[in-house]
């Protein structure tokens, strides 16, 4: 048995159990009054008229929060802190090499944001224009995000690990005219050719007029005259005065591409006031933030966790946030703990895949560092198995730090289901309870609402301010994807169990999305990359259990007539996918098969493929609907690597 201390009493202003119950009740019974009160945490330029105007019904679908209000995100993250904490550190930058770093105060960050905003303006960027960011984890990346919000431009960040092809797709989809990148990135001692990748992406898509290049490594890069300029030089040439643009509450704030079960990645669109309120409140409540904290979320700003809990949530609260440009196993497996000690980190927020990878290396890497500054630990991105939870609690947290296992999605903007450190008794592996204002239900595959201790699919029956508002350029796809499976409800795509205490346990995706090391990938995306190869006829991709990554990628491939499966072709296909999408999408297993299991109507039976990928061929189940019953023998005889 684990010896886990119950919830400690709340700090003044923190949420204890009675507050939690009170807030849940208030949000349910009088949502307008509740959210009006919560919204006082932000600085408004003009007060809003209506709090909430929402319908999930197809006929009159709408999601609007705080209509009539005007607000600016950068002013909430910077200007309003200057009088009281201008000299406080806003961002601690921790580079790839340990000890390489910098500290940026709120005043310095404000200066940099205003300058970048003026550079953008000078390039003709303004309200509603899209700006693509392809950057390493450096303070100027956060400054570039905030600079966009200052002038009402919409940022679209593309993770630096994505390929030029994937970058070009995302630039094309949102029609950016300007890209901000860096000469090179640095990860685990290796260089990443960011600028060269941008150059090659821009050969594949039109419309980009300007590229701003941040100097990170000083590496040699080509600059195209008339298009490319160095950011530092441009910043020195403009004024540090840039008034924040008054934005409407529902104006777009950013686009972030994420994978779904079908087609190309979709541009998740978040809007201004609701998103900001949600990340500001969840950061404060879930992490129990106090002024003296040093908060470290290890996520990259290329993912939503980086948007919400490296940049916007912490800065909206005037916090000190760490930006880490490295990896947990470089220069050695003690990197996180050595850094925790050196920076005095009090709250650490990371992913189960990192915890599992470090757990394998042994306790000594952890215990040789003090970690005395830590007081709270967080987990995000995928289900955390109880063994990893227990190790995180016992070894990393010395048994004294509460763990918040936070469930949310790119689409939800911020955390929706999570323990609160002073209100929730710990339960290894459970995301526990919905936050106040989150109306969760578990339904069966027909949509019947299940009550009590049950397992089914997780839906949300009402809106919360941080909810995504649309898919960029395809509002119908937004409604189709999320609101038609269970009409009138938002379908999360996740399976979920609720126990006798009413606690929620997320069991993982029930659609064709896989979660590899906390990175979300659509099986359809990997399949279309594979079939784009001239020797491939057909491909089907499923998730397989993976000890460290959570899920691995298992690809079934049939070759064109006349082609033979060889080890060399296996490698070639792996490299091919890597090049098409990025290293995160490289298949872990490639299984050549003469054909795929299909129903008579030609639909691939993924259930069977999943069982094979899990190595559970005894439990394949009903195969009577297979068009070709001999396929199973052929499949099981296929070569897998
Ligand atoms: C999917 C969303 C949340 C931001 C990072 C990932 C899975 C996320 C948890 C958790 C179990 C989790 C879900 C979700 N997930 N957090 N604490 N426990 N599963 O965002 O890339 O949009 O992925 O990640 O399956 O649907 P994302």
């Amino acid at each position: 048995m684990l010896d886990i201390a119950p919830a400690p009493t709340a700090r003044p202003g923190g949420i204890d159990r009675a507050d939690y119950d009170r807030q849940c009740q208030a949000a349910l019974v009088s949502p307008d009054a509740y959210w009006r009160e919560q919204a006082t945490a932000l600085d408004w330029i003009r007060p809003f008229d209506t709090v909430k105007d929402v319908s999930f019904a197809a006929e009159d679908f709408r999601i609007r929060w705080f209509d009539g209000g005007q607000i600016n995100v950068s002013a909430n993250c910077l200007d309003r802190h200057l009088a009281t904490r201008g000299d406080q550190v806003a961002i601690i930058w921790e580079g790839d090499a340990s000890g390489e770093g910098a500290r940026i105060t709120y005043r310095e960050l404000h200066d940099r944001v205003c300058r970048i905003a003026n550079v953008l303006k000078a390039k003709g960027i303004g309200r509603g224009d899209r700006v693509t960011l392809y950057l390493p984890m450096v303070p100027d990346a956060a400054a570039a995000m905030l600079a966009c919000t200052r002038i009402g431009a919409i940022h679209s960040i593309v993770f630096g690990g994505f390929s030029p092809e994937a970058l070009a797709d995302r630039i094309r989809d949102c029609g950016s005219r300007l890209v901000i990148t860096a000469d090179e990135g640095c990860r685990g001692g290796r260089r990443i050719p960011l600028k060269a990748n941008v150059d090659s992406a821009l050969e594949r898509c039109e419309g980009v007029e300007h590229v701003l290049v941040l100097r990170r490594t000083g590496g040699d890069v080509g600059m195209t005259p008339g298009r490319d300029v160095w950011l530092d030089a441009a910043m020195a040439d403009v004024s540090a005065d840039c008034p924040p643009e008054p934005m409407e509450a529902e104006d777009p704030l950013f686009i972030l591409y994420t994978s779904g079960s079908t087609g190309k990645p979709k541009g998740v669109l978040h809007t201004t006031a609701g998103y900001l309120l949600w990340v500001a409140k969840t950061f404060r409540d879930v992490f129990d933030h106090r002024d003296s904290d040093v908060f470290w979320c290890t996520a990259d700003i290329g993912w939503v966790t980086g948007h919400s809990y490296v940049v916007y949530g912490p800065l909206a609260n005037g916090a000190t946030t760490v930006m880490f440009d490295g990896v947990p196993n470089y220069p050695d497996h003690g990197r996180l703990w050595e850094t925790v000690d050196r920076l005095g980190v009090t709250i650490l927020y990371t992913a189960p895949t990192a915890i599992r990878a470090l757990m394998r290396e042994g306790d000594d890497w952890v215990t040789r560092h003090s970690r005395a500054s830590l007081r709270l630990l967080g987990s995000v991105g995928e289900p955390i198995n109880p063994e990893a939870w227990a190790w995180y609690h016992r070894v990393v947290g010395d048994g004294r730090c509460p763990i918040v296992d936070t469930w949310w999605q790119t689409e939800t903007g911020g955390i929706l289901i999570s323990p609160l450190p002073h209100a929730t008794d710990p339960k290894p592996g459970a995301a526990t309870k919905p936050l106040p204002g989150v109306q969760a239900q578990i339904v069966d595959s027909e949509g019947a609402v299940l009550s009590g201790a049950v397992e089914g699919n997780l839906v949300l029956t009402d809106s919360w301010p941080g909810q995504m508002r649309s898919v960029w350029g395809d509002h119908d796809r937004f409604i189709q994807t999320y609101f038609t499976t269970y009409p009138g409800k938002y379908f999360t795509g996740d399976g979920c169990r609720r126990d006798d205490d009413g606690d929620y346990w997320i069991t993982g995706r029930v659609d064709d999305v896989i979660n590899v090391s906390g990175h979300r990938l659509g099986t359809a995306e990997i399949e279309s990359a594979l079939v784009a190869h001239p020797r491939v006829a057909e491909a089907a991709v499923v998730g397989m259990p993976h000890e460290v990554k959570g899920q691995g990628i298992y690809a079934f491939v049939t070759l064109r007539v006349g082609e033979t499966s060889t080890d060399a072709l296996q490698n070639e296909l792996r490299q091919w996918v890597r090049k098409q999408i990025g290293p995160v999408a490289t298949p872990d297993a490639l299984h050549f098969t003469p054909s795929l299991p299909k129903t008579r109507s030609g639909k691939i039976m993924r259930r069977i493929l999943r069982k094979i990928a899990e190595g559970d061929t005894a439990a394949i189940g009903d195969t009577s609907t297979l068009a070709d019953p001999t396929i199973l023998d052929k499949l099981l005889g296929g070569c897998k690597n």
Side-chain angles (χ1 to χ4, degrees):
M1 267 302 280
L2 279 169
D3 180 19
I4 307 165
T9 45
R11 69 175 162 110
I15 295 188
D16 63 16
R17 212 172 307 227
D19 295 328
Y20 172 75
D21 291 340
R22 227 179 350 254
Q23 287 202 34
C24 287
Q25 194 60 16
L28 187 66
V29 176
S30 39
D32 278 19
Y34 177 76
W35 288 111
R36 186 177 292 282
E37 166 69 22
Q38 295 301 317
T40 59
L42 301 180
D43 273 14
W44 296 82
I45 297 168
R46 192 177 71 202
F48 49 86
D49 307 314
T50 34
V51 175
K52 179 184 174 209
D53 180 18
V54 170
S55 165
F56 286 175
E59 320 79 75
D60 59 347
F61 186 91
R62 62 193 186 279
I63 305 172
R64 302 190 66 86
W65 284 87
F66 309 116
D67 258 332
Q70 285 185 336
I71 194 164
N72 182 279
V73 168
S74 79
N76 272 274
C77 291
L78 300 168
D79 305 51
R80 67 169 170 160
H81 305 314
L82 293 183
T84 50
R85 51 179 102 229
D87 297 321
Q88 182 201 303
V89 174
I91 297 176
I92 302 179
W93 178 57
E94 174 75 13
D96 187 46
S98 95
E100 172 194 31
R103 287 170 183 257
I104 315 282
T105 65
Y106 271 93
R107 202 179 314 287
E108 289 162 341
L109 185 60
H110 179 265
D111 181 277
R112 302 191 75 76
V113 167
C114 290
R115 285 179 190 275
I116 299 175
N118 280 332
V119 172
L120 292 174
K121 276 188 184 171
K123 300 287 178 198
I125 299 296
R127 284 176 88 103
D129 290 332
R130 278 79 61 207
V131 174
T132 296
L133 272 49
Y134 187 67
L135 286 165
M137 285 289 286
V138 293
D140 275 343
M145 296 163 74
L146 289 160
C148 290
T149 75
R150 196 157 190 92
I151 62 172
I154 305 166
H155 62 67
S156 162
I157 308 188
V158 179
F159 175 56
F162 278 126
S163 66
E165 281 84 354
L167 175 61
D169 283 345
R170 286 155 177 77
I171 291 173
R172 199 181 304 110
D173 186 79
C174 70
S176 295
R177 281 190 294 131
L178 189 144
V179 175
I180 310 182
T181 189
D183 47 8
E184 296 172 312
C186 273
R187 277 285 160 103
R190 286 181 305 115
R191 300 273 172 110
I192 299 152
L194 295 173
K195 174 62 166 66
N197 285 353
V198 169
D199 290 339
S200 102
L202 296 190
E203 286 165 16
R204 297 175 162 82
C205 65
E206 288 177 356
V208 173
E209 295 155 18
H210 305 286
V211 179
L212 306 179
V213 188
L214 193 150
R215 225 182 286 271
R216 163 74 178 90
T217 63
D220 230 3
V221 295
M223 297 290 276
T224 303
R227 187 192 73 182
D228 305 348
V229 299
W230 289 103
L231 185 61
D232 49 4
M235 284 167 73
D237 274 353
V238 293
S239 130
D241 181 35
C242 177
E245 189 75 16
M247 302 306 292
E248 300 299 324
E250 284 295 346
D251 274 340
L253 179 65
F254 67 80
I255 299 165
L256 180 56
Y257 288 86
T258 193
S259 302
S261 46
T262 54
K264 278 184 177 299
K266 46 185 175 282
V268 167
L269 181 72
H270 281 286
T271 59
T272 304
Y275 170 83
L276 183 64
L277 178 60
W278 193 257
V279 297
K281 177 172 165 57
T282 51
F283 176 79
R284 193 184 66 219
D285 292 351
V286 174
F287 300 110
D288 178 35
H289 177 254
R290 306 165 195 197
D291 273 351
S292 53
D293 278 321
V294 174
F295 178 82
W296 184 10
C297 164
T298 61
D300 192 282
I301 52 158
W303 312 110
V304 74
T305 311
H307 285 61
S308 301
Y309 300 110
V310 173
V311 180
Y312 292 120
L315 297 180
N317 282 280
T320 297
T321 182
V322 176
M323 280 184 92
F324 179 40
D325 205 13
V327 289
N329 57 2
Y330 178 82
D332 61 40
H333 301 292
R335 177 61 188 276
L336 294 188
W337 325 118
E338 179 263 327
T339 305
V340 162
D341 282 356
R342 188 160 32 77
L343 304 183
V345 171
T346 59
I347 307 169
L348 179 72
Y349 189 33
T350 193
T353 185
I355 298 166
R356 286 191 297 262
L358 294 173
M359 185 168 82
R360 290 218 306 199
E361 303 299 333
D363 297 3
D364 188 49
W365 287 108
V366 187
T367 53
R368 71 174 65 157
H369 302 284
S370 140
R371 291 154 291 113
S373 56
L374 287 175
R375 67 172 185 85
L376 181 64
L377 302 171
S379 171
V380 60
E382 49 176 321
I384 180 165
N385 46 312
E387 301 71 37
W389 193 104
W391 186 81
Y392 200 27
H393 187 265
R394 178 176 54 83
V395 180
V396 174
D398 277 331
R400 57 180 177 76
C401 304
I403 294 181
V404 288
D405 173 8
T406 63
W407 174 83
W408 57 294
Q409 313 176 297
T410 305
E411 294 88 337
T412 70
I415 299 164
L416 292 196
I417 303 182
S418 170
L420 293 170
H422 304 296
T424 316
D425 285 333
K427 199 178 266 191
T432 70
K433 297 259 182 348
L435 295 179
V438 175
Q439 317 301 348
Q441 267 183 358
I442 297 180
V443 298
D444 68 15
S445 51
E446 266 70 60
V449 180
L450 307 173
S451 53
V454 287
E455 184 161 345
N457 293 340
L458 181 66
V459 299
L460 302 159
T461 60
D462 199 356
S463 184
W464 60 101
Q467 183 172 25
M468 76 182 277
R469 300 295 198 266
S470 194
V471 170
W472 180 259
D474 198 348
H475 194 60
D476 287 345
R477 186 174 175 199
F478 174 53
I479 299 173
Q480 176 63 35
T481 306
Y482 301 100
F483 300 92
T484 56
T485 315
Y486 303 110
K489 296 174 184 181
Y490 170 85
F491 178 39
T492 61
D494 277 317
C496 184
R497 182 163 72 78
R498 190 171 45 219
D499 67 17
D500 287 324
D501 301 325
D503 283 320
Y504 289 74
W505 302 68
I506 307 297
T507 54
R509 303 288 305 197
V510 294
D511 54 8
D512 292 318
V513 167
I514 48 184
N515 193 326
V516 181
S517 302
H519 299 151
R520 180 167 153 180
L521 292 160
T523 53
E525 242 176 295
I526 307 169
E527 288 161 8
S528 43
L530 282 166
V531 295
H533 189 279
R535 295 166 75 181
V536 172
E538 216 177 1
V541 170
V542 296
M544 65 186 240
H546 190 287
E547 209 180 310
V548 173
K549 300 179 184 179
Q551 279 189 299
I553 299 169
Y554 194 117
F556 293 87
V557 171
T558 63
L559 297 176
R560 295 196 176 205
V561 180
E563 300 290 349
T564 37
S565 51
T566 59
D567 286 352
L569 184 56
Q570 285 231 4
N571 282 334
E572 189 180 319
L573 291 178
R574 281 207 180 89
Q575 289 310 315
W576 173 266
V577 175
R578 199 182 160 90
K579 203 175 145 283
Q580 296 266 315
I581 303 174
V584 288
T586 315
D588 296 280
L590 235 145
H591 185 145
F592 290 117
T593 171
S595 55
L596 291 166
K598 290 185 186 165
T599 61
R600 274 176 279 272
S601 61
K603 202 167 169 331
I604 295 175
M605 292 183 72
R606 286 169 187 280
R607 178 173 56 79
I608 292 177
L609 297 179
R610 275 190 213 109
K611 285 292 172 203
I612 295 173
E614 284 164 15
D616 194 6
T617 45
I620 278 182
D622 181 21
T623 54
S624 58
T625 53
L626 274 174
D628 168 15
T630 67
I631 176 70
L632 273 185
D633 286 341
K634 295 181 196 152
L635 250 176
L636 296 172
C639 65
K640 184 203 121 181
N641 249 327

